[in-house]
């Protein structure tokens, strides 16, 4: 039985102040690593902030996946012997992507570009992710990543579960109007897919928009392992066991009460889900 401690950092972020944000990440990362965290997760757009007003403004703070911000985080991981998931604005082929990266001391282990984009903040100017949903397979566990609004589409988490995710990580920038989303979505996605689910939100304000916090880590039953029910800085910790997430066949009474979260699906009935509207 292999158990790993994970950490999520609910923090404020300064718009357009990349180095200040990375310095704040470094302080928090040293704390989580000293507490024994195997992996630390930060919010959506951790290095840049979110509420940009134009493509040109946002582009000034976007970087390629091998840019200086990622290199700084890799050096921190090398110094501390740990792993980090964080959000940033990725510049690629003259396009902006709302992205997250998983990095360790060896470099970038995987990244994801946000697919579902609301008409809000920097997402008004970014391109929908063009690489689909992918699993990052580490020796210790299989990790899937979504970003914020992706969590409101059950199909996104389901694809990752079908691909074998043990945990789905959702860095977010949920606003004060998204309180019910923060209350419901993480537990629902964890329960329906029998996976660990980690939603790490930010706090503070940007250009008149307030962020609600309410970060949460759920186990495969949908139960809370850690919850920050407030808008204050916080570090959440939880111990996760990947083998538990892999036991999709749940037996309550043998032969009388059994369910399998994946095998009991009826995909031949789901055609309308993948039809294009209009």
């Amino acid at each position: 039985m292999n158990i790993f401690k994970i950490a999520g950092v609910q923090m404020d972020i300064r718009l357009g102040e990349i180095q200040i944000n990375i310095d704040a990440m470094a302080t928090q990362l040293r704390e989580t690593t000293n507490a024994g965290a195997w992996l630390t997760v930060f919010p959506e757009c951790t290095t840049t902030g979110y509420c940009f007003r134009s493509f040109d403004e946002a582009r000034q703070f976007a970087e390629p996946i091998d840019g200086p911000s990622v290199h700084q985080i890799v050096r921190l991981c090398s110094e501390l012997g740990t792993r980090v998931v964080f959000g940033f604005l990725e510049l690629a082929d003259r396009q902006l992507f709302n992205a997250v990266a998983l990095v360790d001391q060896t470099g970038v282990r995987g990244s994801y570009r946000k697919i579902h984009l609301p008409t809000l903040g920097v997402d008004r100017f970014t391109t929908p992710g063009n690489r689909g949903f992918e699993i990052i397979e580490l020796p210790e566990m299989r990790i899937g990543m979504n970003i914020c609004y992706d969590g409101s589409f059950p199909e996104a988490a389901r694809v990752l579960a079908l691909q074998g995710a043990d945990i789905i990580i959702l860095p977010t920038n949920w606003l004060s109007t998204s309180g019910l989303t923060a209350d419901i979505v993480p537990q629902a996605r964890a329960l329906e897919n029998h996976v660990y689910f980690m939603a790490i939100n930010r706090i503070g304000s940007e250009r008149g928009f307030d962020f609600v916090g309410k970060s949460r880590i759920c186990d495969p039953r949908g139960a809370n392992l850690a919850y920050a029910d407030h808008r204050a800085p916080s570090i959440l910790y939880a111990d996760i066991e990947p083998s538990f997430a892999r036991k999709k066949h749940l037996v309550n009474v043998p032969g009388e009460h059994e369910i399998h979260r994946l095998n009991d699906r009826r995909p031949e009935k789901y055609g309308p889900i993948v039809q294009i509207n209009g």
Side-chain angles (χ1 to χ4, degrees):
M1 181 175 66
N2 293 318
I3 296 176
F4 301 89
K5 178 178 280 191
I6 57 175
V9 178
Q10 179 170 289
M11 60 182 283
D12 200 353
I13 295 166
R14 298 275 292 273
L15 183 68
E17 299 283 356
I18 291 178
Q19 193 56 56
I20 289 174
N21 294 327
I22 291 177
D23 290 344
M25 290 174 63
T27 298
Q28 301 295 334
L29 187 57
R30 289 190 172 89
E31 181 171 343
T32 60
T33 303
N34 287 337
W38 177 85
L39 169 73
T40 301
V41 177
F42 291 90
E44 176 184 14
C45 291
T46 325
T47 61
T48 60
Y50 182 74
C51 295
F52 294 101
R53 289 175 172 154
S54 70
F55 175 91
D56 289 339
E57 183 187 29
R59 190 184 187 283
Q60 299 176 58
F61 305 100
E63 302 176 15
I65 190 67
D66 60 350
S69 293
V70 170
H71 281 297
Q72 284 195 66
I73 304 303
V74 170
R75 287 196 296 272
L76 274 169
C77 289
S78 181
E79 173 192 340
L80 300 170
T82 193
R83 296 144 206 85
V84 176
V85 170
F86 70 100
F88 70 108
L89 289 179
E90 182 182 0
L91 181 64
D93 299 323
R94 299 182 181 180
Q95 294 178 309
L96 287 180
F97 296 95
N98 186 339
V100 291
L102 169 57
V103 305
D104 64 13
Q105 57 198 26
T106 68
V108 177
R109 300 300 299 269
S111 65
Y112 167 73
R113 295 167 173 171
K114 187 175 183 178
I115 287 175
H116 300 96
L117 302 179
T119 304
L120 180 67
V122 75
D123 285 324
R124 294 173 294 167
F125 317 113
T126 58
T127 298
N130 54 4
R131 294 202 309 256
F133 305 109
E134 301 172 345
I135 296 297
I136 303 168
E137 188 142 3
L138 302 181
E140 299 85 356
M141 71 181 70
R142 299 187 290 255
I143 297 174
M145 300 191 297
N146 285 166
I147 301 174
C148 201
Y149 194 39
D150 289 322
S152 294
F153 297 83
E155 300 87 349
R158 178 51 56 88
V159 169
L160 291 170
L162 289 170
Q163 292 175 335
D166 300 317
I167 183 171
I168 297 173
I169 294 171
L170 185 80
T172 76
N173 272 189
W174 280 327
L175 299 173
S176 55
T177 53
S178 300
L180 285 176
T181 299
D183 288 338
I184 295 168
V185 163
Q187 292 176 286
R189 298 293 92 85
L191 171 67
E192 65 200 10
N193 294 295
H194 195 75
V195 296
Y196 291 95
F197 196 95
M198 186 178 194
I200 302 302
N201 194 28
R202 65 162 292 184
I203 59 169
S205 300
E206 277 184 11
R207 290 177 167 170
F209 291 97
D210 297 321
F211 298 91
V212 74
K214 290 193 172 186
S215 299
R216 190 189 303 258
I217 305 173
C218 302
D219 77 5
R221 300 166 299 178
N224 284 336
L225 296 176
Y227 182 34
D229 185 17
H230 50 67
R231 303 186 188 195
S234 183
I235 299 177
L236 286 70
Y237 294 100
D239 292 328
I240 68 170
E241 181 186 349
S243 62
F244 179 39
R246 297 176 189 181
K247 295 176 181 176
K248 306 298 186 189
H249 186 195
L250 309 178
V251 180
N252 295 300
V253 181
E256 296 183 18
H257 184 186
E258 302 184 17
I259 60 174
H260 195 299
R261 290 293 184 191
L262 298 186
N263 290 354
D264 292 343
R265 296 177 310 114
R266 295 291 302 277
E268 72 277 8
K269 303 296 186 183
Y270 305 156
I273 289 176
V274 295
Q275 292 178 0
I276 299 174
N277 293 337

